[in-house]
Amino acid sequence: IKKATIWTANPVASREAAVANGATNNVGYTNFRNEEEKNMLESFLDLCNDNEFERADEVLERVLESQISRLNHYVGQYNHVLCLERNNGIPHADIEMNFSYEKYREVLKTVFNYYKTNRLPYYNFEIRTTNQDDAFLSCCQSRRGMWIDFQAKASISNNFFKVMTSLLKQYGYRKHWAKGMDNSDPRYIVDQFPDIAKF
């Protein structure tokens, strides 16, 4: 549906101050989706499987509206603020690639051009950024990083991940060590980490 949700986290003086400023008070873990949203997304995936794409997109719009109304402005414990699928998750496979931040325009343009003629097999993909560091096996060693996490149902993930890794290999991605390594050429992965021998 060509929409993005952008998450930002800001420190506050106190939980009480945030609530006084209009934030919803989340006592426990902040769930990326509630049970109703999970049910809608499962319906979305079923409709996509039946090629009912117009109806599927209508369902996805309702999911987004629900999440925006629920997660628009809230306060929570620092390590429970940004969330994904701890609860109400939908089983899926994912693969996450890290690129030099300086290449973000080319990378994103390539991804969006691909989706002009190919439908996304899942309901979203995620983008995040991290600063550079000097750890031997870090994807951000010596460069600021932009990450893209692609997701798909396990039954179709293998072919989709092969397409995306082939499409984006030209930009010198580094793979998240815990996501989708079985869809990788080990020689290519090793070559992307200049200090791997030191490790």
Side-chain angles (χ1 to χ4, degrees), residues 27-154:
V27 177
Y29 192 87
T30 301
N31 291 305
F32 182 65
R33 70 173 64 90
N34 60 26
E35 189 172 356
E36 181 182 3
E37 292 159 358
K38 175 188 176 180
N39 292 336
M40 284 193 286
L41 282 173
E42 288 180 327
S43 174
F44 162 81
L45 292 170
D46 289 340
L47 288 167
C48 289
N49 193 50
D50 295 335
N51 295 322
E52 296 275 356
F53 299 127
E54 188 171 333
R55 289 178 59 201
D57 288 348
E58 291 173 358
V59 172
L60 194 55
E61 290 277 8
R62 295 204 308 271
V63 173
L64 188 59
E65 289 171 6
S66 176
Q67 288 182 314
I68 289 174
S69 66
R70 188 170 56 83
L71 302 171
N72 182 54
H73 185 195
Y74 63 87
V75 61
Q77 186 176 325
Y78 76 95
N79 59 337
H80 287 174
V81 172
L82 295 181
C83 55
L84 190 55
E85 293 190 354
R86 179 173 175 177
N87 300 306
N88 302 309
I90 296 175
H92 65 273
D94 67 340
I95 186 171
E96 189 167 23
M97 291 178 268
N98 172 292
F99 303 88
S100 169
Y101 184 81
E102 279 62 42
K103 296 180 181 179
Y104 76 88
R105 284 188 177 88
E106 302 99 294
V107 173
L108 292 177
K109 184 176 181 179
T110 300
V111 171
F112 289 132
N113 282 342
Y114 174 81
Y115 286 127
K116 286 179 180 178
T117 55
N118 298 274
R119 188 171 175 90
L120 191 67
Y122 204 54
Y123 64 90
N124 71 341
F125 61 89
E126 300 164 11
I127 301 172
R128 63 186 174 103
T129 60
T130 48
N131 207 350
Q132 74 179 58
D133 59 46
D134 59 2
F136 291 155
L137 297 186
S138 171
C139 291
C140 293
Q141 186 197 48
S142 74
R143 70 184 194 187
R144 295 182 299 162
M146 181 195 73
W147 304 76
I148 304 183
D149 184 271
F150 295 104
Q151 305 166 1
K153 297 290 279 187

Side-chain angles (χ1 to χ4, degrees), residues 97-99 165 168-169 171-175 188 192:
M97 291 178 268
N98 172 292
F99 303 88
T165 53
L168 297 171
K169 189 175 183 179
Y171 301 113
Y173 64 77
R174 295 173 179 173
K175 290 285 295 298
Y188 172 83
Q192 302 309 308

Side-chain angles (χ1 to χ4, degrees), residues 149-198:
D149 184 271
F150 295 104
Q151 305 166 1
K153 297 290 279 187
S155 58
I156 62 170
S157 63
N158 196 41
N159 288 338
F160 172 58
F161 293 163
K162 284 180 180 177
V163 168
M164 299 315 294
T165 53
S166 176
L167 185 68
L168 297 171
K169 189 175 183 179
Q170 61 185 306
Y171 301 113
Y173 64 77
R174 295 173 179 173
K175 290 285 295 298
H176 189 298
W177 288 104
K179 296 182 180 180
M181 291 302 285
D182 52 330
N183 291 278
S184 305
D185 176 355
R187 292 166 298 183
Y188 172 83
I189 297 301
V190 168
D191 287 344
Q192 302 309 308
F193 294 88
D195 283 339
I196 195 168
K198 294 179 182 177

